[in-house]
């Protein structure tokens, strides 16, 4: 595994700014809280727009309160009209109207990079996206994305197929995922728990790249998807090419999971260790 060393923007250069648009996790392990930690730990500046407030801990989600649409819009305008947002990471959006306003603001302000983590199900199994909103997500937001990062259940929901139970059936999703309209799709294979490695597919228009990481035996995996997508957005904001940003993001999340058991947080699925080596960049 690569060494982790502190990183700062070059003297005289602007700080790479990443906006996360997502829900708040009161337990601190996923959502906005995980995004801000991952963006900060990988060397960028994090700002945020909160779309929903969840009552959530390591055991599950007990309530979701969508932020009023007018206030979501005001948050977006406040950030975009002042800060030089280079990359945007989108997570939990909760309903159709919020998806539509986020898509409209992305079109209006045109950040350089858009990474969408189509959050639908929490680690605990709780539904985080209304079923009726999936079609709106597909039609309004995903075609704007430079990268979407579904896990296997999310990918299956997006293209209406069975959830794969092996790598061969995972590969059959490639054509359907390309039709969603995003520039690239990172299909995460972490749910294939019987496999020794956690293998992901980076699906481009004409190529597929494989990323393999040793599977780590821990129950502390809360917020892995949020963390990975935020790290990738952070590296894109710093000027990395997509393939390199995904590689670095994968290395970062692998280390964060490997160090997760150093934390003792909650009674259920604990969080990954975002700051396993201070404010860091993977080299």
């Amino acid at each position: 595994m690569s060494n982790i060393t502190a990183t700062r923007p070059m003297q005289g250069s602007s700080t790479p700014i990443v906006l996360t648009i997502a829900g708040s996790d009161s337990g601190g392990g996923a959502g906005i809280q995980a995004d801000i930690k991952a963006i900060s730990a990988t060397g960028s500046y994090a700002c945020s727009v909160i779309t929903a407030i969840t009552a959530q801990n390591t055991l599950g989600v007990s309530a979701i309160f969508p932020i009023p649409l007018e206030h979501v819009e005001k948050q977006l305008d406040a950030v975009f009209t002042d800060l030089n947002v280079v990359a945007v990471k989108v997570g939990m959006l909760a309903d159709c109207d919020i998806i539509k306003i986020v898509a409209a603001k992305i079109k209006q302000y045109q950040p350089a990079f858009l990474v969408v983590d189509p959050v639908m199900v929490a680690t605990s199994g709780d539904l985080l996206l209304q079923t009726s909103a999936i079609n709106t997500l597909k039609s309004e937001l995903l075609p704007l994305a430079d990268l979407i990062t579904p896990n296997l259940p999310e990918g299956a929901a997006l293209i209406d197929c069975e959830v794969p139970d092996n790598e061969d059936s995972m590969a059959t999703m490639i054509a359907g995922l390309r039709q969603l309209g995003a520039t690239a799709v990172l299909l995460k294979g972490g749910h294939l728990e019987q496999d020794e490695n956690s293998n992901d597919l980076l699906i481009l228009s004409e190529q597929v790249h494989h990323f393999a990481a040793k599977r780590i035996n821990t129950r502390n995996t809360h917020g892995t998807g949020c963390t990975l997508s935020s790290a990738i957005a952070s590296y894109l904001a710093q000027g990395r090419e997509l393939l390199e940003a995904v590689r670095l993001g994968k290395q970062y999340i692998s280390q964060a999971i490997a160090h997760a058991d150093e934390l003792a947080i909650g009674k259920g699925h604990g969080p990954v260790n975002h700051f396993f080596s201070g404010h860091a960049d993977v080299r």
Side-chain angles (χ1 to χ4, degrees), residues 56-79:
Q56 185 176 174
N57 56 28
T58 65
L59 297 172
V61 181
S62 57
I64 299 174
F65 174 73
I67 298 297
L69 191 63
E70 179 183 4
H71 194 65
V72 173
E73 184 174 12
K74 287 184 180 298
Q75 290 180 80
L76 288 162
D77 287 333
V79 171

Side-chain angles (χ1 to χ4, degrees), residues 120 134 138 152-161 163 173:
M120 299 177 189
I134 294 177
K138 290 167 63 175
L152 295 182
E154 291 162 349
L158 287 171
I159 62 174
D160 193 23
C161 73
V163 178
M173 300 174 67

Side-chain angles (χ1 to χ4, degrees), residues 12-268:
S13 66
S14 60
T15 302
I17 298 176
V18 180
L19 168 62
T20 167
I21 306 172
S24 169
D25 172 5
S26 54
I32 284 284
Q33 287 81 354
D35 295 345
I36 291 173
K37 293 173 188 177
I39 292 164
S40 301
T42 53
S44 298
Y45 179 84
C47 53
S48 63
V49 167
I50 297 177
T51 60
I53 298 171
T54 69
Q56 185 176 174
N57 56 28
T58 65
L59 297 172
V61 181
S62 57
I64 299 174
F65 174 73
I67 298 297
L69 191 63
E70 179 183 4
H71 194 65
V72 173
E73 184 174 12
K74 287 184 180 298
Q75 290 180 80
L76 288 162
D77 287 333
V79 171
F80 277 118
T81 56
D82 180 42
L83 306 184
N84 180 26
V85 174
V86 180
V88 174
K89 174 266 168 84
V90 175
M92 177 187 175
L93 296 181
D95 61 40
C96 296
D97 290 337
I98 290 178
I99 293 170
K100 289 177 181 177
I101 194 64
V102 168
K105 291 300 178 180
I106 293 295
K107 291 176 182 176
Q108 178 181 347
Y109 292 109
Q110 299 186 355
F113 302 102
L114 174 62
V115 177
V116 178
D117 183 20
V119 178
M120 299 177 189
V121 183
T123 302
S124 59
D126 294 286
L127 187 66
L128 297 178
L129 180 67
Q130 297 173 6
T131 303
S132 60
I134 294 177
N135 286 336
T136 304
L137 184 72
K138 290 167 63 175
S139 63
E140 299 289 334
L141 190 61
L142 297 191
L144 305 177
D146 296 282
L147 178 70
I148 63 174
T149 62
N151 59 30
L152 295 182
E154 291 162 349
L158 287 171
I159 62 174
D160 193 23
C161 73
E162 294 294 323
V163 178
D165 58 6
N166 57 63
E167 286 194 29
D168 288 340
S169 56
M170 183 176 172
T172 65
M173 300 174 67
I174 291 173
L177 291 170
R178 280 178 170 149
Q179 292 176 7
L180 294 173
T183 302
V185 179
L186 182 64
L187 180 62
K188 300 176 295 187
H191 281 72
L192 298 181
E193 296 181 357
Q194 74 277 9
D195 291 353
E196 182 179 355
N197 290 335
S198 177
N199 296 323
D200 300 346
L201 302 179
L202 178 60
I203 304 165
L204 306 177
S205 60
E206 297 182 356
Q207 294 177 306
V208 177
H209 298 272
H210 292 74
F211 292 88
K214 195 77 172 178
R215 190 175 297 279
I216 298 161
N217 184 22
T218 177
R219 68 182 302 188
N220 293 334
T221 56
H222 187 46
T224 52
C226 306
T227 298
L228 174 60
S229 55
S230 295
I232 294 171
S234 178
Y235 289 123
L236 288 171
Q238 294 169 26
R240 310 279 189 167
E241 297 295 331
L242 177 61
L243 197 62
E244 178 72 353
V246 171
R247 183 186 70 81
L248 292 172
K250 281 284 292 179
Q251 288 190 7
Y252 171 73
I253 188 59
S254 293
Q255 294 251 38
I257 296 171
H259 290 268
D261 287 349
E262 295 171 5
L263 303 176
I265 309 295
K267 301 172 184 176

